[in-house]
Amino acid sequence: MDKDLERLIKYIRKEDVALFIGSGFSFKAGAPHVCDIIEEILKEGGEKFASENKDKNLRDVSESFVEYCDGRNDLISLLGRLFNFEVKDTSDQDALRKIPHFNTIFTTNYDTLLENAYPQAERVVITSNAGSSYADDKKVNIYKVHGDITTLNAPDGIIITESDYHNYFKTGRYELIWETLKLAFSKKHMLFIGYSLEDDNIIDIIKSVRSCIGQSMKGMFLVAPGLSSSKTEQLRANHVAYIDAYADEVLSTVLSSIKDNIADDVRHNNVSKETYDKFVELNGDLFSTLHKTEDGNVIKDVEVRKGQKREDTIQFTIPIELKETIEQHHFNDKITVIGSSIQVPAYRIGAEKMIRFSHYINGIKFNSKEDISCLYVAPKFEKKETKLKVPSIKFAEPVIVVKYAENNILHIDIETPICYIKFEIHFGSNRIHDVSSRVESKDTYTNNTDALKWIDALIAMSKIDQSVKIDGIEIKSNNTNKRAIADYKKIKEYYSTIRDIENDTDVTFTMYNQYSEANYINALYVYHYLTGKGFKRDVPKNARLTFVIDTRNENNMPIEKFKTDTFVMIQCNPLGTIELNGKHFNIPYRTTAFMDCHADSVTPLNDFEYEIVMQDAKTSYLTWCSDTQPKQEGNTLNIGCKE
């Protein structure tokens, strides 16, 4: 990039540049060229006038026309006709409006293309001293230093003849505009666009300003294509940096640079919040929240305007060996798909391993390598909301499906209210090789009624020849998974117990923990304690009760009876507070009854003590939960329950 252009852009990004716009900026839109205006003036003056003035510039030919025809009004009317043109390409004006860093614009143009590019509420047009009082720091102030076609009813407001230029700095008509212009030259760098140095008084203005404010002038830049060496020397002599380019090229470069730097500029307070907000809105249909800190601003919550589309683009450069690792799908982490809790495999790249990184939102750069800690690279995936159907039980429920391909395997991950169902379809030789599936339970769920429906669906899906339809794909089981069915039935018992608690008691849960053996036991304790009932549980295989009998204690059963009789064995233990689905329940006592116990072994430990190992002949045992410890009265055990 040209060093002067690079320097200019640095000033523009800091809102430290005012514009001076000439006629060349309007040519693409269809405005007349200087030669066109001269030609029309010569034609209007007649053959003799044209012959005598054909080699003059615009200032002189306009001066001669007024003198020859005594017709300043005719000259102004001619300008009115010339500038009543059909507007064509206004892309330069539109590009300028997209750079809100400019809020002071001076122009020698007569047309209204510039101001028409801005909404009326965003700009102030100033054509005279009186208009200067309407300048507004919160708007774009456009100073028409040579007047414009809207002031044709006041011919003296147009600067075009040699006398007009000569008297420009002497009359008081433009005194306030002139003072504003001098102030702008001392406060901001000046950028001239659309000037060829042929038929304007820009050099005169620069010289006049310099003579007034001297060394206080800031830098000046002029953009024009292909100026001659004599003109560039003239610029250099007046300390104007020349940038050899077209206006649209420079504006495009400026706009691109600001898009790449606006986020950093506002973070470091190099640009105002108002300019930042306007820029991201105009160029990306975006808005965000800024949070002020001691070190600058933090950009939060970048969002698109209602009805507009958001497009995120990430560009990064990494070492070749890291690229090869990622391409071979050697993933080292996972990411969660937004809008679900499904995770897909990913490769985590720390910022320190990157060469370059850029994150764009709608074409505007918001993050670079310094702004992130890491980047995740994942297979391309598709997220969709659809229905999973199990036709055999007339089941059809909404699910979230995420599809992605990895190493010739199509993954279909399904999120249900209680679990994730993961199908893997292995491809080879243009046909399906194999289909495998697995189910991963969630830690919690939100609706127990839905949970019961889904566990029935999982049971059905585990049986031979059962089909599952999802997003246009039908997957059919080729065997019965007995182990899975047994596990699902245990889970269903848990869900059913939770349902019974909510239906038969005053307890309502706001969240539900997933099945585990401990959660299931706690659910049984809570339900039967609150309803005053006992419940049966299967006796674990090879379960034994072991205790020691001291024969010296007259209250103990004689050892011989243990060898021959059958007993009911009662255990009573304090239970205390248990947790179920986020709620706490205090259950003072748990009593367990083994109904048909006999001694599996009687082993003497010494002369008085024996170890007794009892085994229950029945396949289940009874449990009660109560507020008080059971009391035995004769052959009756009062455990404080209804059953």
Side-chain angles (χ1 to χ4, degrees):
M1 184 186 295
D2 179 274
K3 64 180 179 62
D4 289 324
L5 178 55
E6 189 173 354
R7 191 159 53 96
L8 171 64
I9 291 174
K10 181 182 70 174
Y11 296 140
I12 292 173
R13 284 171 48 195
K14 294 181 178 180
E15 301 179 86
D16 198 21
V17 175
L19 288 171
F20 221 123
I21 293 180
S23 60
F25 199 68
S26 299
F27 291 164
K28 283 168 62 175
H33 291 234
V34 171
C35 59
D36 298 328
I37 300 174
I38 293 174
E39 182 181 347
E40 288 300 317
I41 292 175
L42 293 175
K43 187 185 299 183
E44 187 76 10
E47 291 185 10
K48 181 180 179 182
F49 174 80
S51 176
E52 295 174 352
N53 295 276
K54 62 181 179 180
D55 295 325
K56 292 182 179 180
N57 61 27
L58 180 58
R59 296 189 199 183
D60 292 335
V61 77
S62 299
E63 184 77 21
S64 297
F65 181 83
V66 171
E67 293 177 356
Y68 183 82
C69 300
D70 192 23
R72 182 172 179 84
N73 286 340
D74 290 342
L75 175 64
I76 301 304
S77 295
L78 183 148
L79 287 178
R81 294 196 301 273
L82 286 174
F83 281 90
N84 186 23
F85 57 88
E86 181 182 352
V87 177
K88 299 177 182 176
D89 183 356
T90 61
S91 57
D92 287 349
Q93 288 77 11
D94 295 336
L96 189 60
R97 193 223 164 189
K98 289 186 175 182
I99 307 176
H101 297 62
F102 301 119
N103 63 1
T104 301
I105 303 176
F106 299 94
T107 180
T108 53
N109 293 353
Y110 304 124
D111 61 70
T112 61
L113 294 171
L114 192 57
E115 52 264 46
N116 290 345
Y118 294 87
Q120 190 168 355
E122 294 180 9
R123 45 84 168 167
V124 177
V125 180
I126 300 164
T127 60
S128 65
N129 282 342
S132 296
S133 62
Y134 295 102
D136 189 337
D137 291 340
K138 295 181 180 180
K139 297 181 180 181
V140 177
N141 297 293
I142 303 173
Y143 295 87
K144 307 293 286 286
V145 296
H146 285 177
D148 68 16
I149 57 174
T150 65
T151 61
L152 295 183
N153 59 345
D156 292 340
I158 297 293
I159 306 299
I160 187 170
T161 69
E162 180 62 34
S163 296
D164 294 334
Y165 283 101
H166 182 73
N167 296 323
Y168 185 82
F169 302 107
K170 297 180 180 180
T171 65
R173 179 176 180 82
Y174 297 98
E175 181 180 0
L176 292 181
I177 294 180
W178 174 236
E179 292 299 322
T180 302
L181 191 150
K182 288 190 294 182
L183 183 63
F185 271 82
S186 65
K187 294 290 186 182
K188 292 193 174 188
H189 301 273
M190 194 64 64
L191 171 59
F192 298 92
I193 299 179
Y195 289 103
S196 63
L197 307 185
E198 291 289 353
D199 297 295
D200 49 61
N201 64 340
I202 289 304
I203 296 298
D204 292 338
I205 290 176
I206 292 172
K207 290 179 179 178
S208 297
V209 172
R210 187 173 294 282
S211 68
C212 293
I213 63 177
Q215 298 303 315
S216 296
M217 287 181 66
K218 284 199 168 187
M220 293 176 287
F221 302 81
L222 185 140
V223 172
L227 290 186
S228 65
S229 58
S230 62
K231 290 179 181 177
T232 58
E233 183 59 36
Q234 187 180 16
L235 291 172
R236 192 177 300 110
N238 286 279
H239 306 284
V240 180
Y242 171 55
I243 299 172
D244 186 359
Y246 287 94
D248 55 358
E249 294 173 341
V250 170
L251 289 177
S252 176
T253 302
V254 169
L255 192 59
S256 178
S257 178
I258 297 177
K259 285 182 177 181
D260 281 348
N261 292 282
I262 188 70
D264 278 342
D265 287 343
V266 78
R267 285 189 185 106
H268 297 104
N269 286 318
N270 291 327
V271 69
S272 68
K273 177 184 181 300
E274 291 74 20
T275 298
Y276 162 79
D277 286 341
K278 179 61 70 175
F279 184 86
V280 298
E281 178 186 7
L282 287 172
N283 294 280
D285 292 313
L286 302 172
F287 66 95
S288 64
T289 302
L290 292 183
H291 175 65
K292 287 189 176 182
T293 68
E294 292 182 358
D295 300 325
N297 297 304
V298 176
I299 300 173
K300 301 177 68 176
D301 304 325
V302 179
E303 299 180 31
V304 295
R305 292 288 173 188
K306 186 176 181 181
Q308 302 302 315
K309 183 180 178 182
R310 171 169 173 152
E311 182 175 321
D312 288 74
T313 303
I314 291 177
Q315 302 172 355
F316 63 97
T317 306
I318 55 177
I320 185 66
E321 62 272 12
L322 195 55
K323 173 179 177 287
E324 291 174 351
T325 298
I326 295 171
E327 288 178 342
Q328 293 167 8
H329 291 190
H330 295 306
F331 299 118
N332 62 5
D333 212 327
K334 293 181 178 181
I335 60 171
T336 301
V337 177
I338 295 174
S340 77
S341 54
I342 295 175
Q343 292 187 316
V344 297
Y347 194 93
R348 182 188 184 278
I349 308 172
E352 72 281 356
K353 293 183 179 180
M354 295 183 203
I355 300 171
R356 282 182 293 272
F357 173 86
S358 298
H359 172 213
Y360 292 85
I361 304 175
N362 289 8
I364 298 174
K365 183 178 176 181
F366 280 90
N367 294 293
S368 59
K369 177 182 172 181
E370 293 72 27
D371 301 315
I372 65 169
S373 60
C374 65
L375 171 71
Y376 287 89
V377 178
K380 183 178 180 181
F381 58 82
E382 175 191 2
K383 171 179 164 287
K384 190 173 184 180
E385 294 183 7
T386 184
K387 283 191 175 183
L388 183 145
K389 299 179 180 180
V390 184
S392 64
I393 59 172
K394 296 185 174 11
F395 178 89
E397 289 291 323
V399 291
I400 295 174
V401 176
V402 172
K403 296 181 185 177
Y404 63 93
E406 176 196 3
N407 292 331
N408 294 321
I409 300 174
L410 173 63
H411 295 261
I412 304 176
D413 289 359
I414 305 166
E415 181 177 3
T416 81
I418 62 170
C419 65
Y420 305 97
I421 305 173
K422 297 175 178 287
F423 291 104
E424 293 182 1
I425 302 177
H426 300 249
F427 291 94
S429 303
N430 296 321
R431 64 187 182 87
I432 294 178
H433 253 331
D434 189 22
V435 178
S436 60
S437 66
R438 69 181 188 276
V439 175
E440 296 178 3
S441 294
K442 289 184 173 181
D443 292 334
T444 62
Y445 58 97
T446 58
N447 186 297
N448 200 66
T449 301
D450 287 344
L452 282 163
K453 288 192 293 186
W454 273 100
I455 203 66
D456 282 338
L458 291 177
I459 292 171
M461 291 162 56
S462 302
K463 296 178 180 179
I464 191 169
D465 292 335
Q466 292 297 303
S467 65
V468 178
K469 296 181 179 179
I470 180 73
D471 196 28
I473 299 175
E474 182 175 6
I475 301 173
K476 198 169 186 179
S477 62
N478 55 13
N479 56 49
T480 295
N481 191 335
K482 294 181 179 180
R483 181 173 179 178
I485 292 174
D487 290 340
Y488 294 147
K489 286 183 176 180
K490 288 181 181 178
I491 296 172
K492 183 176 180 179
E493 289 177 9
Y494 170 66
Y495 295 158
S496 298
T497 303
I498 297 298
R499 177 198 59 197
D500 293 342
I501 291 173
E502 293 190 310
N503 287 343
D504 299 344
T505 75
D506 293 331
V507 174
T508 300
F509 297 109
T510 56
M511 58 83 67
Y512 303 87
N513 289 315
Q514 188 54 272
Y515 166 85
S516 68
E517 184 64 21
N519 287 339
Y520 178 40
I521 288 294
N522 284 349
L524 290 174
Y525 289 156
V526 169
Y527 176 71
H528 292 92
Y529 170 72
L530 294 177
T531 58
K533 299 177 180 180
F535 62 92
K536 289 184 178 182
R537 289 281 287 163
D538 290 341
V539 174
K541 192 174 183 180
N542 299 321
R544 301 289 188 274
L545 290 174
T546 302
F547 54 91
V548 175
I549 290 290
D550 190 336
T551 57
R552 291 172 295 184
N553 188 336
E554 296 179 355
N555 294 321
N556 286 336
M557 187 83 63
I559 291 298
E560 294 303 320
K561 287 191 106 17
F562 281 105
K563 295 179 180 180
T564 59
D565 293 359
T566 300
F567 302 91
V568 174
M569 306 297 296
I570 305 294
Q571 282 186 320
C572 181
N573 304 105
L575 191 56
T577 299
I578 63 172
E579 182 179 352
L580 180 64
N581 294 338
K583 291 182 178 291
H584 292 85
F585 301 87
N586 182 45
I587 303 176
Y589 293 99
R590 174 190 60 196
T591 301
T592 304
F594 298 90
M595 303 303 294
D596 192 8
C597 293
H598 65 273
D600 187 61
S601 66
V602 178
T603 306
L605 300 177
N606 51 50
D607 290 340
F608 305 104
E609 294 179 322
Y610 291 81
E611 181 185 73
I612 312 295
V613 178
M614 303 292 291
Q615 183 175 8
D616 195 350
K618 292 190 177 295
T619 58
S620 62
Y621 63 92
L622 297 175
T623 298
W624 295 269
C625 295
S626 60
D627 290 323
T628 59
Q629 190 170 3
K631 294 180 181 180
Q632 185 168 352
E633 299 174 358
N635 291 327
T636 302
L637 182 68
N638 185 356
I639 58 175
C641 293
K642 297 176 181 178
E643 296 182 2

